[in-house]
Amino acid sequence: MKRSIYKGRSPRRTPAKKPKFWRSLERFHTMGLRLAGFLHQFKTPLHVIQSQAELLLDDEDLSQPLRQSLQLIHQNAARLAAQTHVMMEAARGSQSGTEIAPVEKLMEEICLAAQTDCRKRNIAIEKEILVTSPIRMEPVALEGALHNLVNNAIEAMPEGGVLKIKTYQSSDLCHVGVEIEDSGLGMSSKELGRIRKPLQTSKKQGTGLGVYITKHILRRHHAHVRWASKPGVGTKVTVLFPMVMA
């Protein structure tokens, strides 16, 4: 008969470690609670920005460059207000409304908003925004997702470069395509795999949520996303949306 090595003592139990998935889930839950509180507080200063921009735009003596800058501030404040409303409604269990519209208008607005950052970083924007068939979209959410992809491309070119943005009709006449390409640092296959996971980032001040949230929004639009990248050459993101059939 085998004799217990514990000699009457209860074996010491090592606390079970939580799987990585559950730890990540807890972090998401905590972030969700904090985000809800932040959004509630965020509405007030955002309203101040919108109202002050409107007040300044009433001045007929504004120079054209200053007027354009104020209009951009007002438009982006309105976009943030709309996104905040959508997120608050989602927290209450409401579903976002969709509409049928062409994607090129969104891309033109995103290019306009990106001009200042590109100018500061010595980045040239090459646009090929073609007229395409409409798609079904949640305008506020989709603009945020595509804007995030453009921002990622800009941040990948700290020494300057070329940002190419293109919309097109696919050859199968069933999809509408958006391409965002940079001539930046590029990524290895390992880095490319890591950006698809939540809370994984190579940025010093990144959260690792940008691409994850973007993919989630694009999935809601039934879009197919493709990343192609090469270190030292750059990265191209292709998004294919299903066309709305008549």
Side-chain angles (χ1 to χ4, degrees):
M1 182 175 68
K2 291 184 178 179
R3 183 176 296 176
S4 170
I5 62 172
Y6 296 103
K7 296 182 180 180
R9 292 176 298 168
S10 299
R12 184 178 296 172
R13 294 182 179 177
T14 303
K17 291 184 178 180
K18 291 182 180 179
K20 188 176 180 180
F21 170 78
W22 291 111
R23 293 200 303 271
S24 296
L25 197 61
E26 285 180 354
R27 288 174 66 186
F28 273 117
H29 176 68
T30 303
M31 289 176 65
L33 292 175
R34 291 182 178 179
L35 180 60
F38 168 77
L39 290 175
H40 183 71
Q41 299 294 328
F42 185 59
K43 291 186 295 182
T44 301
L46 192 56
H47 176 71
V48 172
I49 293 171
Q50 283 184 277
S51 59
Q52 290 300 306
E54 289 172 0
L55 182 64
L56 291 170
L57 283 167
D58 286 339
D59 186 352
E60 296 180 355
D61 296 328
L62 284 176
S63 65
Q64 191 59 27
L66 185 55
R67 181 172 296 278
Q68 288 177 346
S69 293
L70 285 170
Q71 286 172 340
L72 195 59
I73 290 170
H74 186 265
Q75 288 169 5
N76 279 275
R79 182 169 69 88
L80 284 173
Q83 287 179 332
T84 301
H85 177 74
V86 167
M87 293 179 74
M88 294 296 286
E89 288 298 306
R92 296 187 183 101
S94 303
Q95 291 186 345
S96 302
T98 62
E99 63 180 57
I100 296 173
V103 75
E104 56 264 24
K105 182 182 177 182
L106 286 185
M107 296 311 300
E108 287 285 8
E109 291 175 352
I110 291 169
C111 287
L112 180 63
Q115 282 182 355
T116 302
D117 273 349
C118 287
R119 189 165 55 246
K120 287 179 180 178
R121 295 170 183 255
N122 196 29
I123 295 172
I125 301 179
E126 294 183 2
K127 298 189 301 180
E128 191 178 349
I129 309 295
L130 305 179
V131 176
T132 61
S133 298
I135 63 171
R136 184 173 296 279
M137 67 169 76
E138 299 171 34
V140 174
L142 184 58
E143 182 182 2
L146 294 174
H147 208 142
N148 183 64
L149 293 176
V150 170
N151 284 341
N152 285 347
I154 292 172
E155 289 174 2
M157 296 182 283
E159 304 299 324
V162 179
L163 172 64
K164 297 180 181 179
I165 296 177
K166 176 182 178 182
T167 63
Y168 62 95
Q169 198 84 36
S170 66
S171 57
D172 62 8
L173 301 180
C174 294
H175 295 86
V176 170
V178 173
E179 283 184 4
I180 300 165
E181 184 176 1
D182 65 70
S183 61
L185 302 173
M187 292 178 284
S188 66
S189 56
K190 184 177 180 180
E191 291 172 321
L192 206 53
R194 190 166 60 233
I195 66 165
R196 297 185 176 98
K197 298 177 182 178
L199 306 175
Q200 300 288 321
T201 181
S202 57
K203 299 177 185 177
K204 290 182 180 179
Q205 298 181 345
T207 62
L209 290 173
V211 172
Y212 180 77
I213 293 172
T214 294
K215 282 182 61 182
H216 178 71
I217 292 171
L218 294 176
R219 194 179 300 123
R220 290 209 310 263
H221 287 77
H222 306 287
H224 176 69
V225 191
R226 242 186 358 251
W227 272 270
S229 188
K230 188 175 181 181
V233 176
T235 302
K236 179 163 73 172
V237 184
T238 305
V239 186
L240 291 174
F241 298 94
M243 265 173 44
V244 175
M245 299 299 179

